[in-house]
Amino acid sequence: AATEIARQAGEGARAVPLSGHVGFDSMPDQLVNKSVNHGFCFNILCVGETGLGKSTLMDTLFNTKFEGEPTQHNQPGVQLKSNTYELQESNVRLKLTMVNTVGFGDQINKEDSYKSIVEFIDAQFEAYLQEELKIKRTLHSYHDTRIHACLYFIAPTGHSLKSLDLVTMKKLDSKVNIIPIIAKSDAISKSELAKFKIKITSELVSNGVQIYQFPTDDETVAEINSTMNGHLPFAVVGSTEEVKIGNKMVRARQYPWGTVQVENENHCDFVKLREMLIRVNMEDLREQTHTRHYELYRRCKLEEMGFKDTDPDSKPFSLQETYEAKRNEFMGELQKKEEEMRQMFVQRVKEKEAELKEAEKELHEKFDRLKKLHQDEKKKLEDKKKSLDDELNGFKQKKTAAELLQSQAQQAGASTTLKRDKERK
Amino acid sequence: MSTHEITYLKMKTRQQQKSLEGYVGFASLPNQVYRKSVKRGFEFTLMVVGESGLGKSTLINSLVLTDLYCGEYPGPSHRIKKTVQVEQSKVLMKEGGVQLLLTIVDTPGFGDAVDNSNCWQPVIDHIDSKFEDYLNAESRVNRRQMPDSRVHCCLYFIAPSGHGLKPLDIEFMKRLHEKVNIIPLIAKADTLTPEECQQFKKQIMREILEHKIKIYEFPETDDEEENKIVKTIKDRLPLAVVGSNTIIEVNSKRVRGRQYPWGVAEVENGEHCDFTLLRNMLIRTHMQDLKDVTNNVHYENYRSRKLAAVTCNGIDNNKTKGQLTKSPLAQMEEERREHVSKMKKMEMEMEQVFEMKVKEKIQKLKDSEAELQRRHEQMKKNLEAQHKELEERRRQFEEERVNWETQQRILEQQKMTLEKNKKKGKIF
């Protein structure tokens, strides 16, 4: 079978026979060694209503007691709590992060329940994207927090999926690998279980929910994976208590009518889940998250930011060109803003100047008017003065004339009197 | 109206060691990785650089145990070029279920001209163009699984002069040591005796140190055994190699070697040359590491330089040192915010200046108004004073006139009385 690399190389490569052992068949080992030295990391998100046994199942899956107390039902909203643990098995180190949804399904109005989950998943993608876009980045030592698997816990009603389940899964199926499981399945009988599984599967299909399919393209695991695909959703039981069965201590739940053994494949699908999730497909889950879900997120985000792969002429953009174009656009925008502000000020100054000029003009007009008034007054005064002067002169003349007359009369009188006196004698 | 909170949006790293009772099974992760990698296949790009006739093609053939260069596909020395070319040949090899796509990059013409200035430029350009391709592929919106055609290793062939590095050698390595993993090799080592070889090696390493050339360094591991091997190799750097296309029978064993009248120099004999060390290191143990260093160091250097140039428009390095922790877009965001605050400040300043000027102008206007008003008042007062004065004169005049007129009337009466009396007096 041709490898992906060979397919990609296509026509350009020629196959050559080797005349001895070159030694590059150690490449997978070299790669594995590097991975082991680096350590692995896996992030699981558990979504489900309070009380469905999420924490217990995690404890059972990883054979250890993780922290936390059981949550109450009175959470005001859906919160996501995550814890990271370092586990080791033989020489393999695993950094396991478990995220639990607290308060899911407890509210009266559950319309927004899925939102915190979607936001959380997106936030992890965003963090990775930001790191990837940095100029100086350290991707190979980055602690990957993206969710690789989402275990969706379905309540064991035996009937069908709840509408909250459908809504939530529909919102999550393009963002994360969903593995639906029937929780606390020791409450369902075998016959009910078969019907329940069929009902769930058909509801998922009819609502277009894409759950994670175990990959069947690798011959080594194709068979087991395709068989397991037929057993979905897995009906699980979790327990951290041990009960003695025969001469072994096994994990089980003890009831008056019998003991449910967690690792008994007749009792529940726990072993199948562990096999698929951890022992066979863990790496594929990580790969799908990176190459499918993350790429989708990244593509949408970049398109939102205005990035395109080709320009209008369908010629491919180089990264540099894209950034340069963005930067020029950006600088242009800034300059435009600056220019606008300046213009606005220039405008205001002009307006104000005009206003003030107007006021100045009015003031001058006012005073011109007053001046004119004043001048009129002055003229009137002058006229009055003149008339007075004229009267004064007239009077003087009259006076002078009268006095002249008087003095003449006096003189005449005086002479007449003299004459008379003379005659008398 | 959101009634939910999001806590720990960034994962809390409350990391704890947990002991596992019972087998969980994630120890199979390495197997899963193994499986997937075999399915995908491997690729590696090897570049060979050196003057013609140093046995490059022969060495490659010996390394991959196949006639890569033969009649149909001649090696670089057979293709006489006037200028340095960079040529690629791709071969697919399969061994033990593992498929490898090996790309050999040749540089025929390197160092062969009389004037070899800048003969390294085509090499640099080639390496950069591969980085550029990868960068563009990585930065696309729609990404596929990217083929990695970056140059992972460069075997640099040093002529076995026995004296030291040539200026061209030094120049080349200095220009390329930060772009690609350089593994210097002493070519045609069968022309040197072991002692000469030792001396030569010491001299070369001294010069490499002196010129601060960074050749490929073998990583330290936690494994004691491996570290021993690594130390062995380190002590024998640069590796002295011999290659051969011919198989010769020596002591009823068929080996690759070079037949001389005085004996056979065996390629794979550790006492004759370091070829085996080279092959083991290059292919069997450190191939992955060469790829990793190319990806994590050389490529990242290229990328950050490229992006820094775009973002900061090539402003001087000191200024942008602190800013390289962001993506170019985040950088633009920050610049945008800076600009906004700068504009606000500018706006405030302009506003202030504007207000001040307006106040000044208004004040001037007021002053001018006051002045005019004052003058007007004064003139009015003046007029009023004059009016009063006039009034006074008139009054005086009137008074005088009235007096005089009264006087005249009295005089008139007197006159008339006198007249009358006179008439009477005349009668007696």
Side-chain angles (χ1 to χ4, degrees):
Chain A
T3 59
E4 233 175 278
I5 298 269
R7 265 190 300 258
Q8 274 173 357
E11 295 298 310
R14 57 189 162 103
V16 288
L18 303 169
S19 59
H21 182 233
V22 178
F24 59 82
D25 55 348
S26 68
M27 272 304 269
D29 290 308
Q30 292 183 39
L31 185 63
V32 163
N33 278 342
K34 177 190 97 157
S35 310
V36 169
N37 281 333
H38 195 250
F40 296 90
C41 110
F42 196 70
N43 308 318
I44 304 182
L45 168 68
C46 293
V47 180
E49 293 174 22
T50 315
L52 281 182
K54 301 191 285 290
S55 317
T56 313
L57 186 69
M58 287 299 109
D59 288 348
T60 321
L61 259 178
F62 289 95
N63 257 337
T64 183
K65 185 90 182 77
F66 293 114
E67 273 172 30
E69 289 144 20
T71 28
Q72 307 299 314
H73 285 268
N74 54 3
Q75 305 290 321
V78 180
Q79 288 183 332
L80 284 100
K81 285 211 165 80
S82 80
N83 290 311
T84 307
Y85 304 92
E86 284 197 6
L87 308 171
Q88 182 153 0
E89 203 168 64
S90 79
N91 65 338
V92 178
R93 283 173 296 122
L94 176 67
K95 208 177 241 174
L96 177 73
T97 301
M98 305 232 281
V99 188
N100 231 322
T101 51
V102 175
F104 187 76
D106 280 335
Q107 299 80 33
I108 295 176
N109 181 356
K110 295 177 266 218
E111 268 184 353
D112 294 336
S113 295
Y114 71 87
K115 284 203 185 132
S116 354
I117 305 177
V118 169
E119 275 168 19
F120 183 85
I121 296 176
D122 278 348
Q124 310 316 310
F125 283 149
E126 184 64 30
Y128 189 88
L129 181 64
Q130 284 308 317
E131 181 65 32
E132 208 188 17
L133 290 179
K134 274 192 198 167
I135 297 180
K136 264 197 165 55
R137 58 187 190 181
T138 47
L139 272 179
H140 64 276
S141 55
Y142 178 77
H143 177 211
D144 188 2
T145 56
R146 298 172 295 180
I147 302 293
H148 302 120
C150 170
L151 296 180
Y152 194 92
F153 287 68
I154 298 169
T157 59
H159 298 312
S160 62
L161 287 171
K162 298 192 187 163
S163 46
L164 174 65
D165 296 334
L166 280 170
V167 165
T168 311
M169 281 201 270
K170 195 83 179 84
K171 291 281 179 198
L172 293 179
D173 70 354
S174 60
K175 293 196 171 288
V176 72
N177 300 315
I178 300 184
I179 302 178
I181 57 182
I182 300 171
K184 293 196 169 173
S185 64
D186 51 349
I188 313 181
S189 75
K190 217 174 171 108
S191 53
E192 284 172 349
L193 189 60
K195 283 204 219 113
F196 193 27
K197 282 193 182 184
I198 294 174
K199 190 74 184 11
I200 291 176
T201 318
S202 73
E203 276 192 332
L204 288 175
V205 166
S206 60
N207 280 283
V209 176
Q210 306 260 12
I211 59 172
Y212 175 73
Q213 295 293 313
F214 304 117
T216 48
D217 48 358
D218 183 351
E219 313 94 46
T220 342
V221 292
E223 207 182 305
I224 187 173
N225 274 346
S226 68
T227 321
M228 291 298 182
N229 275 328
H231 285 283
L232 285 172
F234 292 136
V236 293
V237 173
S239 171
T240 44
E241 284 160 12
E242 295 195 349
V243 171
K244 192 160 183 150
I245 304 277
N247 54 356
K248 275 204 312 184
M249 293 297 280
V250 294
R251 282 175 300 170
R253 286 176 62 75
Q254 204 156 39
Y255 291 102
W257 48 88
T259 309
V260 181
Q261 292 156 41
V262 167
E263 293 185 28
N264 185 330
E265 292 205 55
N266 283 327
H267 292 193
C268 72
D269 296 330
F270 173 82
V271 170
K272 294 194 179 70
L273 173 67
R274 183 177 59 195
E275 195 72 18
M276 288 291 100
L277 179 66
I278 300 177
R279 296 186 186 176
V280 177
N281 297 304
M282 205 179 223
E283 184 60 25
D284 185 70
L285 284 160
R286 280 159 33 105
E287 201 179 283
Q288 289 290 320
T289 305
H290 180 68
T291 56
R292 205 147 58 90
H293 300 296
Y294 169 70
E295 283 300 311
L296 181 63
Y297 175 83
R298 177 180 175 278
R299 188 161 57 234
C300 293
K301 209 59 202 298
L302 289 183
E303 279 174 1
E304 238 177 81
M305 295 201 274
F307 281 92
K308 282 193 285 280
D309 274 337
T310 56
D311 66 10
D313 298 318
S314 291
K315 279 204 314 258
F317 270 144
S318 85
L319 178 70
Q320 191 165 2
E321 281 174 21
T322 312
Y323 274 136
E324 272 177 4
K326 277 224 161 272
R327 190 174 177 75
N328 286 338
E329 197 187 308
F330 171 69
M331 293 308 250
E333 226 180 276
L334 294 186
Q335 273 184 336
K336 204 171 88 157
K337 282 211 170 95
E338 232 173 280
E339 211 25 60
E340 273 176 16
M341 193 180 81
R342 284 223 172 92
Q343 286 297 52
M344 189 192 68
F345 261 104
V346 165
Q347 188 67 18
R348 272 177 75 183
V349 166
K350 262 210 201 120
E351 282 177 4
K352 202 67 180 190
E353 264 184 7
E355 237 180 76
L356 289 177
K357 255 206 169 74
E358 195 57 38
E360 204 173 340
K361 199 164 106 180
E362 273 181 23
L363 185 71
H364 281 295
E365 279 177 6
K366 172 166 153 199
F367 278 102
D368 280 344
R369 275 199 306 271
L370 284 180
K371 198 155 144 199
K372 188 154 178 308
L373 240 101
H374 170 84
Q375 284 187 335
D376 289 347
E377 286 282 322
K378 199 158 172 197
K379 186 142 186 316
K380 275 202 214 146
L381 186 68
E382 293 290 315
D383 289 345
K384 277 203 189 152
K385 255 196 186 161
K386 189 157 180 306
S387 70
L388 178 65
D389 280 339
D390 287 345
E391 268 185 56
L392 211 65
N393 280 340
F395 174 66
K396 263 207 174 99
Q397 281 182 340
K398 207 161 115 183
K399 206 164 139 185
T400 325
E403 279 177 1
L404 193 66
L405 220 62
Q406 275 187 352
S407 69
Q408 277 184 339
Q410 260 194 333
Q411 268 195 330
S415 68
T416 322
T417 321
L418 261 161
K419 234 159 111 187
R420 251 199 303 194
D421 280 346
K422 251 176 168 179
E423 285 176 359
R424 268 201 202 142
K425 285 178 169 160
Chain B
M1 175 203 72
S2 71
T3 54
H4 48 271
E5 288 160 32
I6 303 157
T7 54
Y8 314 126
L9 263 188
K10 282 236 104 193
M11 298 287 208
K12 257 178 95 173
T13 46
R14 195 165 28 119
Q15 296 174 356
Q16 297 136 41
Q17 294 276 351
K18 285 278 171 191
S19 57
L20 301 168
E21 309 109 39
Y23 184 63
V24 174
F26 62 80
S28 68
L29 264 174
N31 286 343
Q32 298 179 32
V33 171
Y34 189 101
R35 230 190 325 119
K36 278 195 178 281
S37 70
V38 168
K39 186 155 163 291
R40 182 153 189 273
F42 295 88
E43 52 195 345
F44 193 77
T45 303
L46 182 65
M47 180 183 256
V48 277
V49 182
E51 296 167 15
S52 311
L54 283 181
K56 300 189 295 290
S57 326
T58 319
L59 186 76
I60 298 293
N61 282 350
S62 310
L63 265 178
V64 297
L65 292 176
T66 187
D67 286 333
L68 214 69
Y69 296 113
C70 54
E72 220 180 299
Y73 301 92
S77 294
H78 293 260
R79 294 171 268 147
I80 316 237
K81 306 282 183 199
K82 290 247 171 64
T83 54
V84 181
Q85 309 283 313
V86 176
E87 289 170 2
Q88 281 188 169
S89 11
K90 288 191 199 239
V91 286
L92 261 176
M93 308 189 283
K94 192 159 184 169
E95 190 176 68
V98 176
Q99 192 156 56
L100 174 67
L101 175 67
L102 182 65
T103 307
I104 308 279
V105 181
D106 279 329
T107 52
F110 181 84
D112 288 341
V114 175
D115 179 5
N116 286 312
S117 322
N118 294 323
C119 67
W120 47 79
Q121 197 57 46
V123 177
I124 293 181
D125 292 341
H126 177 86
I127 294 178
D128 277 347
S129 86
K130 293 299 171 192
F131 280 154
E132 178 77 24
D133 290 341
Y134 194 84
L135 179 61
N136 283 335
E138 189 195 23
S139 313
R140 284 172 61 87
V141 174
N142 279 308
R143 300 199 289 200
R144 302 287 131 74
Q145 192 87 35
M146 297 168 281
D148 185 3
S149 56
R150 299 173 291 187
V151 178
H152 300 118
C153 178
C154 172
L155 297 178
Y156 188 76
F157 287 69
I158 300 168
S161 65
H163 292 185
L165 291 172
K166 295 206 200 117
L168 176 61
D169 301 335
I170 295 172
E171 196 59 37
F172 178 87
M173 287 199 275
K174 267 167 84 167
R175 283 173 186 275
L176 266 94
H177 66 161
E178 292 194 323
K179 286 190 176 291
V180 71
N181 298 315
I182 299 185
I183 298 181
L185 300 173
I186 298 175
K188 295 200 164 170
D190 53 346
T191 58
L192 298 166
T193 67
E195 296 79 31
E196 284 170 349
C197 199
Q198 271 283 79
Q199 283 295 98
F200 193 29
K201 285 184 179 184
K202 281 213 177 73
Q203 176 64 18
I204 292 176
M205 288 314 279
R206 245 200 312 264
E207 289 183 29
I208 283 180
L209 211 64
E210 192 186 305
H211 290 273
K212 299 202 180 55
I213 294 170
K214 291 184 245 173
I215 57 175
Y216 173 68
E217 255 184 54
F218 298 86
E220 296 274 313
T221 52
D222 299 323
D223 195 290
E224 277 289 320
E225 288 295 316
E226 266 189 55
N227 272 341
K228 275 204 216 124
I229 302 175
V230 168
K231 186 151 191 320
T232 329
I233 298 182
K234 279 198 166 138
D235 286 338
R236 301 184 68 158
L237 285 177
L239 300 175
V241 292
V242 174
S244 170
N245 280 333
T246 43
I247 314 264
I248 304 170
E249 204 161 310
V250 175
N251 298 339
S252 67
K253 263 202 327 180
R254 290 174 62 78
V255 293
R256 280 198 176 228
R258 290 174 61 73
Q259 177 102 63
Y260 290 105
W262 46 88
V264 175
E266 291 166 46
V267 167
E268 291 179 21
N269 187 330
E271 287 171 24
H272 293 191
C273 73
D274 300 323
F275 172 84
T276 320
L277 276 179
L278 173 68
R279 184 188 54 202
N280 288 348
M281 177 273 287
L282 180 63
I283 299 180
R284 297 183 185 178
T285 54
H286 286 83
M287 201 175 229
Q288 184 61 42
D289 187 64
L290 284 162
K291 289 172 70 170
D292 291 338
V293 174
T294 307
N295 184 50
N296 299 338
V297 177
H298 299 297
Y299 170 69
E300 287 296 319
N301 273 344
Y302 176 84
R303 181 181 174 277
S304 52
R305 249 181 298 134
K306 214 56 198 306
L307 289 183
V310 171
T311 320
C312 312
N313 285 341
I315 320 177
D316 67 289
N317 273 318
N318 286 329
K319 186 164 167 213
T320 59
K321 243 190 205 123
Q323 297 170 344
L324 291 183
T325 51
K326 297 182 214 68
S327 69
L329 290 177
Q331 190 119 328
M332 282 205 276
E333 256 318 294
E334 184 162 310
E335 283 182 17
R336 182 193 297 270
R337 261 176 282 149
E338 271 177 25
H339 189 261
V340 165
S341 68
K342 184 178 105 177
M343 287 248 294
K344 270 208 167 70
K345 223 172 82 169
M346 217 166 66
E347 196 174 342
M348 253 180 22
E349 279 175 13
M350 282 172 101
E351 189 79 40
Q352 271 184 354
V353 168
F354 180 74
E355 290 295 318
M356 198 178 70
K357 286 231 154 83
V358 164
K359 240 173 54 178
E360 261 180 36
K361 207 79 200 282
I362 289 187
Q363 189 62 33
K364 247 171 73 180
L365 217 66
K366 275 212 174 91
D367 287 346
S368 157
E369 187 177 359
E371 175 69 21
L372 284 172
Q373 189 77 12
R374 194 182 58 79
R375 265 201 275 152
H376 167 75
E377 291 292 316
Q378 200 165 46
M379 288 203 287
K380 208 157 110 177
K381 270 210 183 94
N382 208 337
L383 270 181
E384 275 177 16
Q386 288 190 357
H387 256 286
K388 269 217 173 85
E389 198 188 312
L390 191 66
E391 290 294 313
E392 183 65 27
R393 273 175 68 193
R394 180 170 278 276
R395 198 185 54 81
Q396 278 186 345
F397 168 64
E398 288 296 314
E399 208 180 294
E400 195 182 325
R401 192 168 64 138
V402 163
N403 279 347
W404 185 77
E405 280 187 351
T406 330
Q407 235 185 22
Q408 292 297 102
R409 259 201 300 276
I410 294 177
L411 270 175
E412 275 296 312
Q413 274 195 335
Q414 277 188 342
K415 201 163 127 188
M416 278 207 304
T417 327
L418 213 63
E419 286 284 322
K420 251 201 223 156
N421 285 344
K422 232 165 92 178
K423 272 193 182 144
K424 278 191 189 160
K426 265 195 162 160
I427 298 177
F428 67 74

